[in-house]
Amino acid sequence: MEKIYSKIDNRLLHVINRLEDITGRNDIIPENNFIQCATLKMEKGKTFDPHKHVVKDRHYPEQIAQESWVVIKGSVKCILYDIDDKIIAEPILKAGDASFTLYGGHTYSILEDNTIVYEYKTGPYEGQKLDKTFI
């Protein structure tokens, strides 16, 4: 796992998790972030107690959309930015790899035809005007 910190204030901005990094259960994102992710490598027959999640009335004075891309097929170059809008890293993701942007900016360049990704983002989504500014 690669953790990318701001050169400005040392805050964790981006996380890159590689397919080969997945062993057992690992929490990828620190628990104080809006987006959460854990990896689980499990053997046949593993099961979990049935459950559902509790509705909570949560209010946060400041919220930011945090985003993740999981590459299913193909490859993607991530261009990751620090909080001052300067490029801080340019990792390449392959099938099974994931990127997480907690703070800072990002863009992606698709490197192969027919690349497939899952994109996850914290919500609710209220439209581009309220969600992002362009670098």
Side-chain angles (χ1 to χ4, degrees), residues 105-132:
H106 60 242
T107 189
Y108 302 97
S109 180
I110 307 307
L111 301 177
E112 297 178 46
D113 287 338
N114 299 310
T115 290
I116 298 171
V117 302
Y118 286 121
E119 177 188 60
Y120 299 90
K121 190 187 313 186
T122 53
Y125 182 65
E126 299 175 309
Q128 188 176 28
K129 188 174 181 179
L130 295 175
D131 187 59
K132 61 181 81 171

Side-chain angles (χ1 to χ4, degrees), residues 11-29:
R11 175 179 5 173
L12 179 60
L13 302 178
H14 309 279
V15 177
I16 304 296
N17 200 76
R18 306 280 179 193
L19 179 61
E20 61 265 16
D21 293 336
I22 301 173
T23 58
R25 180 186 170 102
N26 291 303
D27 293 326
I28 303 301
I29 305 301

Side-chain angles (χ1 to χ4, degrees), residues 8-85:
I8 308 301
D9 64 7
N10 205 39
R11 175 179 5 173
L12 179 60
L13 302 178
H14 309 279
V15 177
I16 304 296
N17 200 76
R18 306 280 179 193
L19 179 61
E20 61 265 16
D21 293 336
I22 301 173
T23 58
R25 180 186 170 102
N26 291 303
D27 293 326
I28 303 301
I29 305 301
E31 63 186 17
N32 62 330
N33 287 276
F34 294 102
I35 197 167
Q36 293 292 297
C37 183
T39 57
L40 299 105
K41 184 174 184 179
M42 299 169 283
E43 301 302 322
K44 181 179 178 181
K46 174 73 176 163
T47 188
F48 301 89
D49 291 335
H51 66 281
K52 60 184 177 180
H53 295 270
V54 178
V55 174
K56 299 175 187 173
D57 185 17
R58 297 179 178 178
H59 302 277
Y60 300 96
E62 291 186 18
Q63 294 183 31
I64 188 169
Q66 296 179 329
E67 185 175 319
S68 174
W69 272 36
V70 179
V71 178
I72 304 304
K73 176 184 169 191
S75 58
V76 175
K77 180 180 181 180
C78 303
I79 297 106
L80 305 175
Y81 294 82
D82 204 329
I83 57 175
D84 64 356
D85 298 342

Side-chain angles (χ1 to χ4, degrees), residues 87-100:
I87 294 173
I88 195 166
E90 297 184 55
I92 293 177
L93 304 180
K94 297 182 179 177
D97 295 345
S99 70
F100 300 86

